[in-house]
Amino acid sequence: MKQPHLDPQRRHDAVLLFDVIDGNPNGDPDAGNQPRTDVETGHGLVTDVCLKRKIRDQIPLLHPGEERFKIFVEADVALNTNIKRAFTATKTPLTKKTSPQQRGDVQQWLCNEFFDIRMFGGVVGTGDGNAGRIRGPLQLTFARSVSPVLTQAHGITRITQTTEKDIESGESTEMGTKWTVHYGLYRAHLHYSASRGEQTGVTQQDLATLWQTMINLFEHDRASGRGEMDVKGLYVFSHDDAYGRARASQLFKGVQAGLLDGVTAPRSVDDYKIVVEGKLPKGIALTRLID
């Protein structure tokens, strides 16, 4: 295959670089929606759950109404509802006591129906039916900023009151707080297991969809609170077999990002030097989707 990063029978490990300017890339609801940070080092954090949500939200835009590209984890749809659909479609009794064959049938139906189950896996043994757990082939790490970030709270006002009672009491404005990171360059890692991808039925089209969503990760996720976010690098290391020719950590050392000499307060990606090692272990191909 001329495009090794699209081959579902190969193992893939990838490095994702993205940045944020004057925005909150991932607020912490337990901390007043402040940007997530490592409290010891000050580095910014974005959870894997946040990144997966951005991928999920793009799938209906890329494949509207298409078979095999529905989303299992979405707003206003109960998980148990979709699980019951799988039991009904496979004519499996809705019971906690299912045989391995029955669980396999239900899991296969879910994998064929939902892109995120096929890629990420999921627990599908909730509710009245027990379909066990599907281990997906794709895993993402937390994203961590290359340098410590500075978070800042901004006081904001609104001239529109929430209730008529507020107006009658004489309130003219309402106060709020908006948290931002002045600038942060973040790095996350992705891992795709070809062996597990074969079990869930991942295709070349699925991988093409995945990489397209990663390239455009923030293009359809704009919000005033997130400021300007953009993907700055996407490097896919493809092994020439399913098991892999090198450890991911070894490959990831080939992508380095660091502050330029003399820069103490970075405000753009131009304040960093990004170096991608050209020499690769035998059996590894590097695809630079964004460089």
Side-chain angles (χ1 to χ4, degrees):
M1 178 179 285
K2 294 182 179 180
Q3 296 179 297
H5 68 291
L6 298 180
D7 189 348
Q9 296 182 345
R10 296 174 179 241
R11 183 183 128 193
H12 305 286
D13 299 294
V15 176
L16 170 71
L17 297 174
F18 63 89
D19 68 358
V20 57
I21 301 174
D22 296 328
N24 185 349
N26 186 202
D28 185 347
D30 290 330
N33 205 43
Q34 297 181 41
R36 297 180 189 270
T37 58
D38 182 326
V39 296
E40 290 186 315
T41 67
H43 288 82
L45 299 173
V46 175
T47 68
D48 59 321
V49 175
C50 175
L51 297 175
K52 287 179 180 179
R53 182 73 266 161
K54 296 181 190 306
I55 294 172
R56 284 185 169 104
D57 288 345
Q58 287 189 70
I59 302 305
L61 304 179
L62 277 171
H63 301 281
E66 293 185 30
E67 295 295 325
R68 287 176 52 84
F69 288 96
K70 297 181 178 65
I71 296 300
F72 183 76
V73 181
E74 60 180 339
D76 301 323
V77 178
L79 300 182
N80 288 345
T81 299
N82 284 328
I83 294 172
K84 287 181 180 179
R85 285 180 54 208
F87 274 82
T88 300
T90 58
K91 298 180 180 180
T92 302
L94 194 63
T95 174
K96 288 288 187 180
K97 296 181 179 180
T98 53
S99 68
Q101 178 63 48
Q102 289 173 323
R103 287 196 297 273
D105 291 343
V106 173
Q107 290 181 5
Q108 184 177 12
W109 187 92
L110 290 166
C111 288
N112 290 336
E113 185 81 356
F114 300 104
F115 176 86
D116 53 339
I117 287 290
R118 196 159 61 249
M119 297 301 290
F120 303 138
V123 177
V124 290
T126 62
D128 297 326
N130 178 20
R133 175 189 177 194
I134 300 172
R135 295 196 64 178
L138 182 68
Q139 297 299 324
L140 287 80
T141 68
F142 271 41
R144 174 179 288 268
S145 66
V146 176
S147 307
V149 298
L150 178 64
T151 63
Q152 184 173 343
H154 307 271
I156 56 176
T157 60
R158 185 178 70 182
I159 62 171
T160 303
Q161 287 68 51
T162 303
T163 67
E164 291 288 344
K165 184 178 180 180
D166 294 334
I167 297 175
E168 293 170 359
S169 66
E171 292 187 14
S172 58
T173 60
E174 291 194 2
M175 300 292 295
T177 301
K178 189 173 185 176
W179 284 91
T180 65
V181 168
H182 295 305
Y183 181 80
L185 178 65
Y186 290 74
R187 173 175 179 150
H189 296 158
L190 294 82
H191 305 278
Y192 171 82
S193 167
S195 300
R196 299 204 182 282
E198 183 177 5
Q199 294 172 6
T200 62
V202 174
T203 65
Q204 181 177 333
Q205 185 183 24
D206 291 332
L207 282 181
T209 296
L210 169 68
W211 300 129
Q212 189 173 1
T213 62
M214 298 306 300
I215 290 170
N216 298 288
L217 198 58
F218 309 107
E219 298 302 310
H220 298 277
D221 188 56
R222 304 293 184 184
S224 61
R226 283 191 281 275
E228 287 288 335
M229 298 185 68
D230 189 32
V231 176
K232 296 301 183 184
L234 181 56
Y235 309 95
V236 184
F237 296 93
S238 300
H239 305 248
D240 63 1
D241 66 3
Y243 187 75
R245 296 290 186 176
R247 290 177 294 112
S249 60
Q250 177 187 357
L251 301 175
F252 292 157
K253 287 180 180 178
V255 179
Q256 296 292 329
L259 281 174
L260 295 172
D261 292 341
V263 176
T264 57
R267 287 297 181 266
S268 79
V269 70
D270 295 330
D271 291 325
Y272 290 84
K273 183 178 181 180
I274 300 174
V275 177
V276 182
E277 176 64 47
K279 186 177 180 180
L280 297 170
K282 184 179 179 180
I284 303 295
L286 172 60
T287 304
R288 304 184 186 208
L289 294 177
I290 294 183
D291 193 7

